Amino acid sequence: MVSSTSEPTVVRVSQKGQATIPKGLREKFGIETPGEVFVYEDEGRIVVEPVPSPDELHGIHAEGHERGEATERLRELRDEEKRREAKRAERLRPSEDE
């Protein structure tokens, strides 16, 4: 059975504050298990982002790269995710006709 990763899923939070990221989302975003993710607040929402793999950041400190380039790439990835989330929120928002 193929499941959609764009529909909200209810996830239980344990007494220790732990929640499991659904398998479809882990696979889609390349989150390894065990692994690490960034977790932060943005505009009143909790955001979970995969930490870029060493391959994605390979050579970032090599000659010819500017200082802060890795940070800028992370910002680009976060901005891209924000745009996807905004589109998703717009789709889920009830229309004024309803």
Side-chain angles (χ1 to χ4, degrees):
M1 174 166 77
V2 177
S3 63
S4 170
T5 58
S6 63
E7 295 300 317
T9 302
V10 174
V11 175
R12 292 184 188 267
V13 178
S14 74
Q15 289 180 339
K16 293 182 178 184
Q18 298 168 327
T20 301
I21 300 169
K23 182 179 180 181
L25 290 172
R26 291 193 318 266
E27 289 174 346
K28 179 178 180 176
F29 291 96
I31 299 171
E32 300 287 328
T33 55
E36 296 178 323
V37 294
F38 293 114
V39 179
Y40 58 92
E41 179 187 356
D42 184 38
E43 297 180 13
R45 300 180 86 178
I46 298 171
V47 178
V48 178
E49 288 185 15
V51 174
S53 71
D55 289 340
E56 291 175 298
L57 298 176
H58 178 71
I60 205 72
H61 296 294
E63 190 174 319
H65 290 282
E66 298 292 321
R67 182 182 181 118
E69 197 168 330
T71 303
E72 182 59 31
R73 178 66 181 132
L74 290 174
R75 285 187 184 122
E76 289 171 4
L77 292 170
R78 185 173 56 215
D79 290 345
E80 181 180 316
E81 182 61 22
K82 283 182 187 179
R83 286 190 294 275
R84 281 196 300 262
E85 280 296 317
K87 286 181 183 177
R88 180 176 166 271
E90 187 62 34
R91 284 195 328 264
L92 295 175
R93 186 174 293 122
S95 67
E96 293 180 17
D97 297 340
E98 294 178 15

